[in-house]
Amino acid sequence: MVAARPRRRLLLLRRRQAAAAARLLGILWLACVAAEGVAGGEPPLKCDELRLGFPCHPAPNITCKDHSGNENNFTGKEVGFYKPIACRNVNGYSYKVAVALSLFLGWLGADRFYLGYPALGLLKFCTVGFCGIGSLIDFILISMQIVGPSDGSSYIIDYYGARLTRLSITNETFRKTQMYP
């Protein structure tokens, strides 16, 4: 009779832990559904209007030569060229929120739920963030913007906030020929 009481207490404790875990999982699922409703239901933006770019005005009394050898003398009032603007489609996923979730609730998979990866979020939840190692790796990946929202959109980042841009050299990259003395 005395040994049955600790077993009951242990069984009752396990039931309470399972109920708390189920409640937490339900809250994470609700947050994921709410974030999807806010962020995922909008159609992607069309950036065709921005392809022309931003007009750039050269300084007065600047003479430029184009590829065919024609010289243009600018007075400072005409448009010299158009700088193309890179279009970033955003659907409501905040960079600050993603990093904060990864830092504080990454061991529960809240960051992956927020970004739209529910399977990985559930896996992190069940394994307690892969024993902390997965949480650390995800924090690094999210803070370096390697892992982004699942719909392929960009994060919402403050204008002067951190933004990484991948640089690459393509056939359209202008290469200046070196002049040797």
Side-chain angles (χ1 to χ4, degrees):
M1 191 82 161
V2 175
R5 286 187 182 174
R7 287 184 189 165
R8 276 190 207 158
R9 287 183 186 168
L10 185 61
L11 188 61
L12 185 62
L13 181 65
R14 286 185 183 167
R15 285 183 185 166
R16 286 181 185 166
Q17 287 176 345
R23 271 189 244 121
L24 186 59
L25 186 60
I27 290 170
L28 287 175
W29 176 80
L30 183 62
C32 178
V33 169
E36 183 178 332
V38 170
E42 302 170 5
L45 299 174
K46 295 182 180 169
C47 299
D48 295 333
E49 298 85 27
L50 296 176
R51 295 283 182 223
L52 182 61
F54 183 78
C56 294
H57 302 276
N61 299 326
I62 295 290
T63 304
C64 295
K65 255 187 200 180
D66 60 9
H67 295 296
S68 61
N70 299 330
E71 289 187 4
N72 294 332
N73 192 5
F74 292 101
T75 62
K77 296 181 181 176
E78 59 270 303
V79 175
F81 61 93
Y82 289 93
K83 181 179 179 181
I85 299 171
C87 182
R88 296 181 183 271
N89 290 332
V90 294
N91 281 336
Y93 294 101
S94 172
Y95 175 69
K96 290 179 182 178
V97 172
V99 170
L101 283 174
S102 181
L103 181 63
F104 297 113
L105 296 175
W107 58 278
L108 291 174
D111 51 353
R112 291 294 186 151
F113 277 108
Y114 175 72
L115 291 175
Y117 302 100
L120 286 174
L122 185 62
L123 190 63
K124 279 179 69 174
F125 176 77
C126 292
T127 60
V128 189
F130 300 112
C131 298
I133 296 171
S135 299
L136 177 66
I137 291 171
D138 269 355
F139 175 71
I140 292 169
L141 292 177
I142 290 172
S143 62
M144 292 181 66
Q145 300 175 20
I146 295 172
V147 172
S150 63
D151 61 357
S153 64
S154 295
Y155 289 113
I156 295 175
I157 300 177
D158 295 337
Y159 181 71
Y160 291 110
R163 173 171 285 147
L164 295 178
T165 304
R166 291 186 179 98
L167 299 177
S168 62
I169 297 176
T170 63
N171 289 336
E172 297 178 8
T173 305
F174 178 73
R175 296 180 189 215
K176 186 175 180 182
T177 56
Q178 286 186 331
M179 299 296 224
Y180 295 104

